[in-house]
């Protein structure tokens, strides 16, 4: 059974709105007889405007956007994860793990293309929907959704590559190549899009149950808080996270071990997650879970927790067992992990239980949502901002709220952090971010923004070079296609 929050995928998701002017003919779409929808058809009715907006959400669950390349760039690069699988399998991923990646690595071009396809779909909605005669409130909301999603795609690009081409309008096939904007210019556009979205988007509780999973005011504020954190705008981080925490929309009541299960999708913990659906005819899911599942038993076995992460947890921290699968372990659904699994550890946050909804196409079309922004992250951003601004009592309160949820009813575990110095509290908050958000695609970029990526990663024999490895190289195919208009990052 498809969860209620995924119904908008079943009802109206419009496949991939291609730059060529056509949409792919996914089986779960209401299709024309020939199975094709011309781009212009999306933009002459209210139904078309909704479908065009849903096409942006469709892009979120595609392979180039949130599967192999995303996992490699955002997770394998960190001290939380290793490449996994077998040494010779997808060896190009080892380049991310070891920081030997070059501009010709195909994963880079995948990631770049996935984000820009999402941006192109968002630009279609932002530019063309305003002219449609339709319900004005819905029109404004759809444009705001597109702006939030465009901001998210650009945030991924800015974190990965720094400055990138800033494209906010539709591009003809013969349009000249767009040079790289500065990272600051990208952040300014992200901030504008998110502020625009915040003024229009509903709160999570204001959506109908069938529409859960769409962009919300809280999600836009959360992304803006994170973008502000990356720029050291601590007053903005504190203001936005305070507003989210005081909104009554979110809380830390979902047990940690439930968050990443099917029952934990779109709960009060969730600000934004990629909606995957196990449609009866297939085609609504993602390979995100398959590529990380136990090799030789469920999946491909990539992006495995590192020994360094295993050692990072305090004794008895329940989050360790909820994050890391070990050989021979009996899972909550009764499945026993094989003793001879290729790797000693696997990512439990990507595990699909046997009693959870599945697509008839198997794990390669997984129903499992991809958590992108959750409430504990907001609370820890609040703690970090409060500490940076000299408001340590609030910082400690927020930090300890996350620890309290993690320990549950066992008061002997994870005692409250006692206020010490500002620097000691910062260290405690950074450590808490690591174990709370482990394997959730934040750790590498956290290390970079904290200015300690080199020291941490070189200690693990990774070939991280200060002033170079904080960013990925611009994909060589993109430089070539631009006729040299795009320039390469330093050191590559």
């Amino acid at each position: 059974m498809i969860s209620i929050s995924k119904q908008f995928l079943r009802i109206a998701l419009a496949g991939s709105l291609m730059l060529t002017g056509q949409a792919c003919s996914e089986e779960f779409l209401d299709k024309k007889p020939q199975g094709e929808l011309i781009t212009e058809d999306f933009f002459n009715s209210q139904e078309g405007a909704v479908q065009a907006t849903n096409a942006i959400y469709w892009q979120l669950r595609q392979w180039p956007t949130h599967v192999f390349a995303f996992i490699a760039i955002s997770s394998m690069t960190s001290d939380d994860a290793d490449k996994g699988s077998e040494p010779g399998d997808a060896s190009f991923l080892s380049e991310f793990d070891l920081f030997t990646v070059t501009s010709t690595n195909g994963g880079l071009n995948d990631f770049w293309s996935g984000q820009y396809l999402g941006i192109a779909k968002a630009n279609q909605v932002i530019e063309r929907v305003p002219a449609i005669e339709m319900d004005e409130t819905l029109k404004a909301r759809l444009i705001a959704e597109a702006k939030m999603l465009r901001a998210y795609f650009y945030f991924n690009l800015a974190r990965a590559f720094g400055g990138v081409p800033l494209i906010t309008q539709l591009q003809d096939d013969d349009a000249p190549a767009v040079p790289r904007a500065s990272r600051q210019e990208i952040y300014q556009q992200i901030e504008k899009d998110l502020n625009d979205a915040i003024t229009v988007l509903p709160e999570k509780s204001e959506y109908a149950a069938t529409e859960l999973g769409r962009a919300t005011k809280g999600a836009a504020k959360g992304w803006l808080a994170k973008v502000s954190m990356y720029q050291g705008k601590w007053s903005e981080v504190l203001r936005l996270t305070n507003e989210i925490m005081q909104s009554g929309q979110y809380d830390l009541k979902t047990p940690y071990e439930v968050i990443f299960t099917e029952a934990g999708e779109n709960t009060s913990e969730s600000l934004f997650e990629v909606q995957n659906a196990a449609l009866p005819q297939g085609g609504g899911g993602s390979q995100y879970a398959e590529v990380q599942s136990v090799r030789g038993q469920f999946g491909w076995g990539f992006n495995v927790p590192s020994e360094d992460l295993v050692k990072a947890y305090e004794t008895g921290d329940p989050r360790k067992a909820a994050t890391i699968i070990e050989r021979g372990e009996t899972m909550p659904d009764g499945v026993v992990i094989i003793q001879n699994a290729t790797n000693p550890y696997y990512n439990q946050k990507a595990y699909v239980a046997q009693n959870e909804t599945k697509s008839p196409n198997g794990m390669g079309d997984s129903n499992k949502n991809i958590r992108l922004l959750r409430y504990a992250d907001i609370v820890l951003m609040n703690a970090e901002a409060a500490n940076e601004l000299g408001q340590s009592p609030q910082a400690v309160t927020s930090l300890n709220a996350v620890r309290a949820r993690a320990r549950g009813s066992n008061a002997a575990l994870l005692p409250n952090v006692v206020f010490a110095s500002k620097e000691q509290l910062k260290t405690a908050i950074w450590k808490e971010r690591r174990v709370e958000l482990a394997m959730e695609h934040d750790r590498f970029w956290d290390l970079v923004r904290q200015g300690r990526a080199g020291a941490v990663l070189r200690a693990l024999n990774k070939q991280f070079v200060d002033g170079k490895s904080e960013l990925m190289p611009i994909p060589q195919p993109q430089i070539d296609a631009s006729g040299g208009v795009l320039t390469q990052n330093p050191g590559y």
Side-chain angles (χ1 to χ4, degrees), residues 458-474:
R458 282 192 294 273
L460 298 173
N461 297 316
K462 296 178 184 280
Q463 300 175 43
F464 188 99
V465 177
D466 293 338
K468 170 189 174 183
S469 303
E470 293 86 354
L471 298 174
M472 294 289 117
I474 303 298

Side-chain angles (χ1 to χ4, degrees), residues 59-170:
Q59 186 62 37
L60 288 170
R61 55 192 178 87
Q62 297 310 297
W63 174 271
T65 311
H66 276 132
V67 189
F68 239 22
F70 174 74
I71 291 168
I73 290 172
S74 67
S75 188
M76 293 181 195
T77 47
S78 77
D79 53 344
D80 279 0
D82 297 321
K83 167 187 169 272
S85 185
E86 296 173 353
D89 192 11
S91 58
F92 73 95
L93 294 177
S94 297
E95 296 180 11
F96 294 96
D97 194 357
L98 299 174
F99 288 92
T100 59
V101 65
T102 67
S103 63
T104 58
N105 187 299
L108 294 170
N109 200 51
D110 256 10
F111 182 79
W112 179 286
S113 299
Q115 311 310 311
Y116 272 111
L117 279 171
I119 289 166
K121 293 176 174 67
N123 288 344
Q124 294 260 23
V125 170
I126 294 165
E127 188 164 327
R128 293 188 172 186
V129 166
I132 300 175
E133 293 185 9
M134 59 179 288
D135 179 89
E136 292 297 323
T137 300
L138 177 59
K139 176 191 292 188
R141 195 199 83 197
L142 295 177
I143 294 169
E145 289 180 54
K147 287 186 175 183
M148 194 201 87
L149 294 171
R150 181 170 71 179
Y152 171 72
F153 292 124
Y154 268 122
F155 188 33
N156 281 342
L157 289 166
R159 288 187 289 182
F161 301 108
V164 294
L166 180 56
I167 302 171
T168 58
Q169 295 179 325
L170 298 180

Side-chain angles (χ1 to χ4, degrees), residues 4 8 78 158 178 225 291 293 295 384 394 397 400 410 471 488:
I4 290 176
F8 80 86
S78 77
V178 179
V291 302
S293 296
R295 190 174 182 88
E384 191 167 348
Q394 179 172 338
T397 297
N400 284 332
N410 191 340
L471 298 174
Q488 187 53 270

Side-chain angles (χ1 to χ4, degrees), residues 180-194:
R180 297 175 68 181
S182 68
R183 177 157 47 181
Q184 189 54 42
E185 289 170 327
I186 299 298
Y187 277 144
Q188 287 170 359
Q189 182 62 49
I190 291 171
E191 290 169 347
K192 182 180 185 306
D193 278 346
L194 291 173

